[in-house]
Amino acid sequence: QSFKLLGFLDVKNVPCARESVLYGSLGSLVMGLGHFLATSRVRRSCDFAAGGFICTMLGYWFYCRYNLAQQRIRQRMLREGMKNRILFEGSYLDPAKEQSGSERSDS
């Protein structure tokens, strides 16, 4: 079953959403509890906890999405390289094929 955060963010199907929410909640706990232990002010600690959640969640969201985009670019480049390798294998355009001395002087 899918869980929607704020009614629009489908945590199950959106990449990086689940991890971002989990790390955000952990950041919230650490920031709020740390501030409470340091100052013993409950209301201000709740403010720090909310801020910690937002900052940690957004920070990990951008980090994860950036890495996902890089991974997709590498996959696309690898897929195109494999397609070209299959296409040019055995032809004179094959980069892995050793060229003899006469062929090198022609080109």
Side-chain angles (χ1 to χ4, degrees), residues 5 9-27 53 56-65 68:
L5 184 68
L9 181 61
D10 191 7
V11 176
K12 183 178 178 184
N13 296 326
V14 175
C16 300
R18 179 179 177 269
E19 292 86 4
S20 296
V21 171
L22 290 175
Y23 281 120
S25 62
L26 181 65
F53 175 77
T56 307
M57 187 180 79
L58 288 178
Y60 189 77
W61 172 269
F62 289 122
Y63 170 76
C64 183
R65 295 297 287 203
L68 186 65

Side-chain angles (χ1 to χ4, degrees), residues 72-88:
R72 287 181 179 169
I73 290 170
R74 285 192 302 265
Q75 285 176 347
R76 188 179 328 121
M77 289 173 55
L78 184 62
R79 193 171 30 247
E80 289 174 4
M82 289 172 59
K83 184 175 68 173
N84 288 339
R85 171 70 183 201
I86 292 170
L87 183 65
F88 296 132

